[in-house]
Amino acid sequence: MHHKHLSVIVMTSLAIATANADDLTQLPSMTVDADLRGIDLSEIAASVTILDENEIQDRGASHFSDVLLQLPNVNFSGEGSLPRHIQIRGMGERDEYTGAPNASVGFAIDGIDFSGIGMPASLFDVQQVEVLRGPQGTRYGANALAGLINIKSNAPSAQRETLLEVTGGQDNLREFGLMTTGAFSEDSDRALYRLSLFRHLSDGFRKNDFLDRDNTNNRDELYLRGQLSFQLTDTSQLDLTLLHANIDNGYDAWSLNNNRRTLTDEPGDDKQRSSAIAAKFTLSGFQAFDLISTSTYADSSLKYSYDGDWVHPGFYPTPFVYNFSNNKQRETFSQEFRFVSKPEQRIFNQSTDWLTGIYFSNLRERNRTAEEFVDDFTGGDLFTDSGSTRFNSNNIAVFGQLDHHLDDATVVSGGLRVEHNRQRFSSSASERFSPSNNMIGGHISISHQLTEQHNAYAAISRGYKAGGFNTGLPANASNEFIKYDKETAWNYELGLRSSFLERRVNTAVTLFYMDRRKPQFDGYTFDPTGETFSYVFFTENLDKAKNYGIEAEADWQVTRDWKLFGSLGLLKTKVSGQPVNSEFTISSREQAHAPSYQYNVGALYRNVSGYFARVDVTGLDAFYYDNVHNFRSSRYTLTNARLGYESNQWEIYLWGRNIFDRKYATRGFFFTNEPSYSEPAQGYEKIAPGRQFGVTARLRF
């Protein structure tokens, strides 16, 4: 931990605390949209972080990846150009290779499921980002064992408004954003629209010395969003959201020397093209309840490829070539009918709010994978391998929730979700699987308003994750390699949310303990049979695991101009069991991608004259990269800063990310990468971006 950064912030806060406190502003209240009913953040019985539009803009975030590591107990595996594999409280997948989609962290954009493929997470023109930690079985089902990330776009407005945003920076960074909203007719606000466009272009921060290029890890991203809102009658409303993302990024990220200079001759790609629609129909004409129907459809095409030997053909004295490519086509459809009681129509003597619903989803995925090898194992001859797979998954669930008001200060809530999952899988290698899973999740909680300033809660929740199967294994693989069971997790939480000094100080503290049964862990090993000439990736059940710790957040509007903020995640993890692939022992060791501490602290200055400044420091402890070796990351701290000027119609900012140019990594592997595979295994890391400076300007009219 770099104490000099913390010292500056502490000294600043002490100086500010003695300043004139006249005309102080209150911190805003927020609503958790991902909750089944929609509830104020101060009242929800769960560990939740919300970043609203102002906070997103103050941090200078244009993509979810810009804020991910600043959130307590949230990490990611940098397998691609943008985060797809996210961990919450140390739980979540880390790579692309382990068979059928089986996410532990739910990821939704405007209600559309992008779990495991969340690259289109642009934050331009976004109302808020919500991070719900712990099992969300009642709210989101099987794809939210570890938690849920929910991104909600700004809704259309009757008042005409246009926003223009441009950014330029190092690494040939160029960003352009445009938003416009209003009513279709000046005489009526029953039909509204909102359109936004965002483009990101950059060369990346790596240099390919062999090709003499500095853009082999480039980013070329286009995000389009359209929203329509129709007040059909006085008691019915239709909201439509259309999303399109075209991400055409390069992928040239690995170096034998673990630095930002590569030697590949065939750089790869990390692409995703997604088109999606969500339709929400709300009917409030019933006396006792509102009916909400939500339909979503998404079609995504992805390509992930790389030069697996990381060098050009002449680097080794013997031939060595390895290229990998995966093309994925995923379609998702979902339909939910939700019945939500009206406040004046509570049951049980006007004491209990209720809701119930039914949910159906279908996921279809087709994969085509191609690999080619030339190495000592193949005798210097080209060996090619290709295959295709088809996967279909149907989920149907019924759910319900009761919120019983014991009195004006105490609410007891109970929720239950029963879900059936049916999968079908086939491959060109004659693999056939058709598992099914019956799963039950839910929660019971009590929240109590201790005083006007303090709200405490206790909660028990149960999450679940479907079982599945491993693909692409050698023909002689044992059955314990091929299939794995479903996982369940019991989560116990105690929380306290407080507000002090007339809502100028907000704090939230959560203690949690998660007991995981038959936990699913992914791993890899080199195929010793020589049938595939490559590494075999798989998912397996270990015996049990424990994940427990603390999440804390605080915001302090010290004076009218100064604000201090901070968050802290403390995490302790243990796992018991013996991996099936080797003699490696994992029992009693920390889980992968689960740093024991994670913090973000900073200060913000905003004056009525228009001047703006912000600085924050993010720190992470070291963590293991995988569960099949002991290779670890290094602990690190990152410092970001912004200076700017703001007026009613325009703003301009000078910003810097990782301004002290700290070297850190977001993914690591431990293996042998040379032609004969005879050299000792060693650790390889994907190095994250270094220092970057830029300028952002916005204009509203």
Side-chain angles (χ1 to χ4, degrees):
M1 183 182 298
H2 290 258
H3 298 285
K4 62 181 181 180
H5 303 314
L6 297 177
S7 300
V8 171
I9 293 173
V10 171
M11 294 298 292
T12 301
S13 67
L14 293 175
I16 293 171
T18 62
N20 190 341
D22 293 339
D23 300 323
L24 294 180
T25 58
Q26 292 184 342
L27 295 167
S29 61
M30 300 180 185
T31 298
V32 184
D33 183 71
D35 187 71
L36 289 176
R37 183 178 293 276
I39 189 172
D40 190 271
L41 177 61
S42 63
E43 299 175 0
I44 190 170
S47 178
V48 181
T49 296
I50 294 183
L51 305 180
D52 65 9
E53 182 178 24
N54 292 329
E55 179 66 22
I56 292 169
Q57 292 185 0
D58 287 346
R59 298 187 186 214
S62 62
H63 192 275
F64 182 63
S65 58
D66 297 328
V67 300
L68 194 157
L69 293 176
Q70 299 172 355
L71 305 170
N73 287 333
V74 180
N75 198 5
F76 77 101
S77 167
E79 184 70 20
S81 61
L82 292 171
R84 284 192 293 261
H85 310 294
I86 298 171
Q87 299 83 45
I88 295 181
R89 294 178 174 174
M91 301 167 60
E93 290 65 50
R94 292 179 297 282
D95 56 52
E96 288 287 303
Y97 309 107
T98 49
N102 201 30
S104 296
V105 176
F107 200 107
I109 303 175
D110 290 327
I112 303 167
D113 186 7
F114 284 96
S115 301
I117 57 170
M119 290 174 66
S122 168
L123 298 188
F124 177 74
D125 194 33
V126 161
Q127 176 182 326
Q128 63 189 41
V129 175
E130 305 169 356
V131 179
L132 289 75
R133 303 176 191 85
Q136 305 299 319
T138 306
R139 297 179 178 92
Y140 208 67
N143 276 355
L145 178 73
L148 170 64
I149 295 165
N150 183 54
I151 298 178
K152 182 182 180 182
S153 303
N154 281 312
S157 170
Q159 181 179 355
R160 291 189 182 275
E161 180 186 3
T162 300
L163 168 66
L164 177 66
E165 177 180 300
V166 293
T167 294
Q170 290 178 290
D171 303 322
N172 201 22
L173 170 66
R174 293 148 289 157
E175 291 181 340
F176 174 82
L178 176 66
M179 180 281 300
T180 184
T181 187
F184 283 101
S185 171
E186 296 182 358
D187 301 328
S188 173
D189 60 359
R190 283 181 172 267
L192 310 177
Y193 68 88
R194 192 179 192 101
L195 303 172
S196 66
L197 175 152
F198 187 77
R199 186 76 187 274
H200 174 104
L201 296 166
S202 62
D203 288 345
F205 55 90
R206 291 181 172 87
K207 173 69 182 296
N208 186 309
D209 289 333
F210 177 72
L211 298 176
D212 193 25
R213 290 170 51 192
D214 58 7
N215 64 349
T216 54
N217 211 63
N218 70 304
R219 288 174 58 184
D220 182 350
E221 302 161 16
L222 173 66
Y223 305 98
L224 300 172
R225 183 185 302 115
Q227 292 175 288
L228 303 173
S229 180
F230 301 98
Q231 188 72 43
L232 303 176
T233 68
D234 291 341
T235 59
S236 61
Q237 180 170 325
L238 176 63
D239 297 297
L240 297 175
T241 300
L242 296 95
L243 299 176
H244 177 74
N246 189 358
I247 300 170
D248 187 7
N249 294 347
Y251 189 64
D252 184 22
W254 296 87
S255 165
L256 294 175
N257 296 321
N258 288 335
N259 58 26
R260 299 185 179 116
R261 307 185 77 90
T262 65
L263 293 171
T264 57
D265 60 312
E266 297 186 46
D269 297 297
D270 191 19
K271 301 180 179 182
Q272 180 170 342
R273 177 175 293 183
S274 295
S275 297
I277 184 171
K280 180 180 179 182
F281 177 70
T282 304
L283 185 60
S284 57
F286 301 101
Q287 181 179 357
F289 59 85
D290 294 334
L291 168 61
I292 303 173
S293 169
T294 304
S295 309
T296 71
Y297 173 78
D299 184 2
S300 297
S301 177
L302 301 93
K303 180 181 180 182
Y304 178 64
S305 65
Y306 56 84
D307 187 336
D309 54 84
W310 304 350
V311 293
H312 54 87
F315 185 85
Y316 291 105
T318 58
F320 191 30
V321 173
Y322 173 38
N323 293 307
F324 174 89
S325 177
N326 174 262
N327 289 274
K328 187 191 310 287
Q329 189 74 31
R330 180 184 294 188
E331 292 180 79
T332 58
F333 168 79
S334 71
Q335 174 63 56
E336 180 187 272
F337 295 103
R338 187 183 306 180
F339 303 86
V340 183
S341 66
K342 294 183 176 181
E344 64 274 13
Q345 294 293 331
R346 292 174 175 169
I347 58 176
F348 304 138
N349 198 26
Q350 291 294 308
S351 66
T352 305
D353 298 304
W354 60 269
L355 66 84
T356 187
I358 186 170
Y359 171 85
F360 171 78
S361 69
N362 173 257
L363 183 152
R364 295 176 182 270
E365 184 174 288
R366 299 185 301 275
N367 277 274
R368 289 183 291 108
T369 300
E371 298 177 273
E372 61 178 16
F373 304 83
V374 174
D375 58 16
D376 283 2
F377 274 25
T378 59
D381 297 323
L382 179 65
F383 173 85
T384 61
D385 186 27
S386 63
S388 62
T389 65
R390 289 179 176 269
F391 177 75
N392 185 290
S393 176
N394 288 310
N395 281 43
I396 186 167
V398 293
F399 58 88
Q401 182 172 308
L402 297 176
D403 301 312
H404 179 66
H405 299 256
L406 293 175
D407 52 45
D408 291 340
T410 308
V411 178
V412 176
S413 176
L416 183 69
R417 186 183 186 107
V418 179
E419 186 164 352
H420 175 73
N421 168 258
R422 178 74 177 183
Q423 305 172 28
R424 294 195 306 273
F425 175 89
S426 63
S427 76
S428 57
S430 300
E431 298 169 302
R432 299 289 186 273
F433 302 103
S434 56
S436 62
N437 296 267
N438 294 314
M439 299 166 288
I440 299 177
H443 77 273
I444 184 169
S445 66
I446 181 170
S447 60
H448 179 67
Q449 193 77 35
L450 300 173
T451 68
E452 187 177 347
Q453 292 79 32
H454 305 285
N455 190 305
Y457 77 87
I460 301 174
S461 58
R462 185 182 193 269
Y464 52 86
K465 184 179 177 184
F469 45 85
N470 294 307
T471 64
L473 300 180
N476 62 350
S478 61
N479 191 59
E480 61 181 343
F481 259 115
I482 296 174
K483 295 182 180 181
Y484 52 89
D485 293 331
K486 64 184 178 183
E487 175 182 353
T488 58
W490 287 92
N491 179 61
Y492 308 88
E493 288 190 9
L494 295 173
L496 178 66
R497 290 188 177 87
S498 301
S499 179
F500 307 95
L501 302 177
E502 299 179 351
R503 292 190 61 183
R504 298 194 304 272
V505 177
N506 287 344
T507 63
V509 179
T510 301
L511 287 75
F512 66 91
Y513 181 91
M514 297 183 67
D515 183 8
R516 303 171 60 185
R517 313 289 175 86
K518 293 187 176 180
Q520 296 175 10
F521 287 96
D522 50 357
Y524 62 90
T525 184
F526 187 72
D527 173 18
T529 68
E531 292 185 18
T532 64
F533 296 102
S534 65
Y535 282 83
V536 174
F537 291 79
F538 57 89
T539 298
E540 62 180 323
N541 296 104
L542 296 181
D543 297 335
K544 57 184 178 179
K546 312 290 184 184
N547 299 51
Y548 55 94
I550 299 173
E551 286 133 9
E553 296 179 282
D555 290 286
W556 180 16
Q557 192 71 46
V558 186
T559 71
R560 181 184 61 186
D561 298 339
W562 284 94
K563 176 183 174 182
L564 299 179
F565 54 87
S567 65
L568 175 67
L570 300 178
L571 179 64
K572 184 69 174 178
T573 62
K574 293 182 180 179
V575 59
S576 300
Q578 179 64 45
V580 300
N581 72 308
S582 69
E583 296 180 358
F584 179 80
T585 300
I586 194 174
S587 290
S588 300
R589 203 200 73 169
E590 294 176 353
Q591 298 167 28
H593 277 253
S596 62
Y597 68 77
Q598 190 171 358
Y599 66 86
N600 176 258
V601 293
L604 181 148
Y605 173 81
R606 175 175 276 119
N607 188 271
V608 293
S609 63
Y611 294 104
F612 171 91
R614 188 183 192 277
V615 62
D616 70 81
V617 179
T618 299
L620 268 76
D621 193 16
F623 54 85
Y624 291 104
Y625 286 120
D626 275 302
N627 298 305
V628 292
H629 55 69
N630 284 320
F631 185 38
R632 293 166 59 97
S633 74
S634 299
R635 64 182 63 181
Y636 61 86
T637 58
L638 306 174
T639 305
N640 303 320
R642 290 172 68 83
L643 297 172
Y645 183 82
E646 304 170 336
S647 72
N648 291 333
Q649 290 187 307
W650 61 272
E651 307 146 21
I652 188 167
Y653 305 94
L654 172 66
W655 51 263
R657 296 173 183 153
N658 189 11
I659 60 177
F660 295 110
D661 201 24
R662 302 302 187 196
K663 182 180 178 182
Y664 68 105
T666 58
R667 185 69 175 115
F669 290 101
F670 189 79
F671 62 102
T672 296
N673 190 21
E674 51 86 27
S676 66
Y677 304 98
S678 60
E679 296 294 326
Q682 58 179 306
Y684 297 103
E685 294 180 303
K686 182 191 172 188
I687 305 302
R691 175 168 48 214
Q692 186 181 40
F693 291 104
V695 177
T696 297
R698 298 193 192 99
L699 176 64
R700 294 180 174 85
F701 54 91

